[in-house]
Amino acid sequence: MSFLPEKIDEYVISHSQNEPELLQQLNKETWQKVLNPRMLSGAYQGRLLAMISKLIKPTSILEIGTYTGYSALCLAEGLTANGKLITIDKNEELESFANKYFEKSTFKNQIEQHIGNALDIIPKLTTKFDLVFIDADKSNYTNYFNLIINKMNSGGVILSDNVLWSGKVIEHIKPNDKDTKTLIEYNKLLNTDDRLETILLPIRDGLTITRVK
């Protein structure tokens, strides 16, 4: 979704870099063959993720929530020559879909794909990360944060997607709406933890950039 007027949104997109050809193909095939294609980061946000990664020049990236691999390939654009991106997703059915595009990319030897529960996999990782992208089940955002915070290098950046949750974070919370409740608590955590510097951007469904001091 977008919080901007349609014409302004179109202007912003038309004056931003286009997605690379491989990502165009991935984007198209996701919409043709995969359920819930709106989960895809998409061209505009993908270019933002790539730009942030290029500015950071990370040696190590962790992505929680692979989906069809679009955001992983965007983030990989900023990796150093010897850098590595670890991406985790619990959906076994999408593993081969994402891997097909990883293999077609110039980053095929730098992407490490894990299938399973991120809450079980992250504690086993020994890498210290320069950049983390959280874009998985919203009810576990705080749990993911607690698992990764001590695995961050000083000055590392955590990107959190969908933090505005279609505007639900400012609406009355339904008793059974665990996702919205968790996101409200998570947004507050990122803005009050003394170890962090945070800015929430109203881009698409909300993207938080958090720097670890």
Side-chain angles (χ1 to χ4, degrees), residues 19-30:
E19 60 189 342
E21 183 178 351
L22 180 64
L23 291 179
Q24 291 178 26
Q25 296 171 12
L26 197 168
N27 196 336
K28 182 178 180 180
E29 187 173 357
T30 298

Side-chain angles (χ1 to χ4, degrees), residues 29-145:
E29 187 173 357
T30 298
W31 279 90
Q32 291 175 335
K33 299 180 179 179
V34 182
L35 291 174
N36 301 317
R38 289 185 62 189
M39 292 173 59
L40 196 76
S41 289
Y44 177 69
Q45 185 170 329
R47 289 304 85 207
L48 176 63
L49 295 178
M51 179 67 77
I52 292 172
S53 185
K54 289 173 182 177
L55 291 170
I56 296 170
K57 298 179 182 178
T59 298
S60 52
I61 301 175
L62 172 64
E63 178 185 54
I64 306 172
T66 311
Y67 191 48
T68 56
Y70 190 97
S71 53
L73 289 172
C74 293
L75 293 166
E77 291 181 37
L79 279 171
T80 57
N82 62 338
K84 180 173 71 172
L85 183 150
I86 297 173
T87 184
I88 305 170
D89 201 288
K90 63 182 180 181
N91 192 338
E92 296 179 4
E93 295 180 0
L94 291 178
E95 180 181 9
S96 59
F97 187 108
N99 185 258
K100 177 177 70 172
Y101 282 94
F102 293 161
E103 287 297 314
K104 288 182 179 181
S105 78
T106 57
F107 313 109
K108 62 181 181 180
N109 296 322
Q110 294 179 275
I111 298 177
E112 182 179 307
Q113 194 175 2
H114 291 258
I115 300 297
N117 190 329
L119 297 176
D120 297 326
I121 295 171
I122 295 171
K124 300 175 184 178
L125 301 177
T126 58
T127 306
K128 297 279 280 188
F129 295 100
D130 301 312
L131 178 60
V132 172
F133 182 44
I134 303 176
D135 186 19
D137 52 319
K138 312 311 165 190
S139 60
N140 273 312
Y141 267 35
T142 302
N143 293 328
Y144 295 140
F145 172 83

Side-chain angles (χ1 to χ4, degrees), residues 163-179:
V163 291
L164 292 178
W165 206 223
S166 299
K168 292 180 183 179
V169 291
I170 60 170
E171 299 175 354
H172 177 72
I173 309 173
K174 297 179 180 179
N176 61 344
D177 191 348
K178 185 178 180 181
D179 288 340

